[in-house]
């Protein structure tokens, strides 16, 4: 049981740190709310309209497609680092991966998911 003492101490410190930091911040910071401070700040321009405006679904589709293709291309980096060690199998498997990625991109393009307007 003694060998787990450092782990227990670490867990206690990790649990207490955010609580202590928030309490200290609450004590130290000035708290004088008013109407001007509670307004939304938009680059120095007064806010117009409602903050919860509706966005087109196309915006979300393009955002999701960007994230999907961006995350999938991250897989190219480890492959490039270990390229020589992987040999022919790594080369072929990466081109299969890129082929699947390219087919998905072509499908999204054909469906018009990449057109903004």
């Amino acid at each position: 049981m003694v060998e787990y003492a450092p782990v227990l101490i670490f867990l206690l410190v990790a649990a207490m740190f955010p609580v202590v930091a928030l309490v200290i911040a609450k004590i130290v910071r000035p708290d004088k709310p008013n109407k001007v401070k509670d307004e939304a700040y938009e680059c120095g321009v007064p806010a117009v309209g409602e903050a919860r405006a509706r966005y087109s679904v196309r915006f979300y589709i393009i955002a999701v497609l960007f994230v999907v293709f961006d995350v999938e291309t991250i897989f190219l980096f480890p492959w490039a680092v270990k390229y020589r060690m992987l040999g022919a199998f790594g080369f072929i498997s990466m081109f299969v991966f890129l082929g699947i990625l390219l087919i998905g991109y072509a499908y999204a393009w054909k469906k018009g998911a990449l057109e903004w307007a």
Side-chain angles (χ1 to χ4, degrees):
M1 190 68 162
V2 177
E3 61 268 7
Y4 291 113
V7 175
L8 182 62
I9 292 170
F10 178 76
L11 288 174
L12 287 173
V13 170
M16 291 302 297
F17 181 76
V19 174
V20 171
L22 288 172
V23 168
I24 291 173
K26 178 73 174 168
I27 293 169
V28 174
R29 73 175 181 233
D31 190 22
K32 297 176 185 174
N34 61 33
K35 187 176 179 181
V36 175
K37 286 183 179 179
D38 290 338
E39 286 183 9
Y41 180 75
E42 186 93 20
C43 302
V45 179
V48 177
E50 190 176 329
R52 288 175 172 71
R54 291 185 174 254
Y55 289 101
S56 172
V57 174
R58 291 193 172 276
F59 172 78
Y60 295 107
I61 290 173
I62 289 181
V64 167
L65 285 172
F66 171 76
V67 169
V68 166
F69 288 112
D70 192 43
V71 168
E72 287 184 356
T73 54
I74 289 173
F75 288 118
L76 291 173
F77 181 73
W79 173 76
V81 170
K82 294 292 183 179
Y83 172 70
R84 292 184 194 262
M85 194 172 91
L86 295 174
F89 175 74
F91 185 75
I92 293 169
S93 63
M94 185 49 67
F95 270 97
V96 169
F97 173 75
L98 288 175
I100 293 170
L101 190 64
L102 189 62
I103 289 170
Y105 183 73
Y107 177 77
W109 192 343
K110 183 179 178 186
K111 285 291 192 178
L114 302 175
E115 294 177 15
W116 185 254

